[in-house]
Amino acid sequence: MHDDIERIVFTETDIKQRVNEIGKQITEDYKNLREEIFCVGILKGAAVFYTDLVRSIDLPIRFDFMIASSYGSGTKTSGAVKILKDLDYDIEEKHLIVIEDIIDSGTTMGYLLDYFTRRGAKSVKLCSLLNKPSRRTVEVKIDYCGFDVPDEFLVGYGLDYAEKYRNLPYIGVLKSEIYS
Ligand code: IMP
Ligand code: MG
């Protein structure tokens, strides 16, 4: 796997430090809330980030997960989003923090945020480890963002290419010869 990486963008230490900062910020922002926070992870990409982040949030939270796929293949999406696994819990009147790996075009998250609002969530905040602002076609507000990244294809720490590289402990740029 390591030989397929062009260069490392964020090391294990960089990620750990930033994730802890975000967890502390969320703890601070929600400390006066009397209700439980529903942390909604978007599988599979956010799985690694999710499990690290929740351990740095020092408040009662409930786990929930969704699987969504935007139609289309490779690196392009068509704009339509399909829910492959829905939430387990009723989110009406609940406070949600949506946890995602990366916001690229914004198509997936634009759809999901609207979906959570339509289902009656009391508040919805978005936490994404990575943000590729140059690729945005759908406007999405990121409340907690780990790092802004340029338009390069990244893998590791949950991010995949064809289901591979998710378990790399760092985030790196994939060599273009792997996907071209
Ligand atoms: P969006 O709907 O275009 O914002 O797509 C977001 C999804 O595309 C993410 O949840 C990832 O699964 C995937 N994605 C976007 N950029 C990358 C990347 O650089 N590496 C791996 N997956 C990516
Ligand atoms: Mg994803």
Side-chain angles (χ1 to χ4, degrees):
M1 289 194 292
H2 304 283
D3 293 340
D4 298 348
I5 304 303
E6 181 76 48
R7 67 170 205 284
I8 295 175
V9 180
F10 302 111
T11 65
E12 217 176 327
T13 312
D14 296 334
I15 299 168
K16 192 173 213 163
Q17 192 191 329
R18 189 70 189 113
V19 170
N20 282 335
E21 284 170 7
I22 298 171
K24 279 209 182 87
Q25 186 63 56
I26 291 174
T27 306
E28 185 60 29
D29 292 352
Y30 285 81
K31 68 180 182 204
N32 295 324
L33 187 77
R34 290 173 179 277
E35 302 130 87
E36 201 177 27
I37 308 165
F38 280 51
C39 284
V40 177
I42 311 302
L43 298 176
K44 301 171 206 167
V48 179
F49 175 44
Y50 187 104
T51 54
D52 280 344
L53 180 67
V54 291
R55 282 176 287 175
S56 65
I57 301 174
D58 192 19
L59 292 170
I61 68 160
R62 184 180 294 217
F63 279 31
D64 208 346
F65 298 96
M66 275 185 98
I67 303 178
S69 107
S70 42
Y71 288 104
S73 57
T75 54
K76 282 186 184 153
T77 64
S78 69
V81 176
K82 190 179 176 188
I83 292 171
L84 303 175
K85 186 224 166 282
D86 207 341
L87 296 166
D88 289 337
Y89 302 106
D90 181 3
I91 56 164
E92 199 174 335
E93 290 300 303
K94 304 299 182 195
H95 296 277
L96 265 59
I97 299 177
V98 183
I99 299 171
E100 177 61 305
D101 52 357
I102 183 164
I103 308 297
D104 188 30
S105 70
T107 309
T108 312
M109 202 40 68
Y111 178 88
L112 291 179
L113 293 176
D114 182 57
Y115 177 78
F116 298 137
T117 305
R118 277 188 282 124
R119 299 241 331 225
K122 198 169 189 175
S123 72
V124 182
K125 283 198 179 184
L126 172 60
C127 174
S128 182
L129 180 64
L130 304 175
N131 177 32
K132 264 188 203 174
S134 61
R135 299 252 306 169
R136 201 72 93 253
T137 57
V138 176
E139 209 44 60
V140 171
K141 178 176 175 259
I142 307 176
D143 300 285
Y144 303 99
C145 178
F147 306 100
D148 279 354
V149 292
D151 185 12
E152 293 178 293
F153 199 79
L154 305 170
V155 293
Y157 198 72
L159 295 154
D160 75 310
Y161 172 68
E163 297 299 327
K164 204 176 162 186
Y165 311 105
R166 292 195 197 274
N167 59 322
L168 285 176
Y170 53 81
I171 294 171
V173 178
L174 189 63
K175 284 182 180 166
S176 57
E177 68 234 44
I178 307 294
Y179 57 84
S180 56

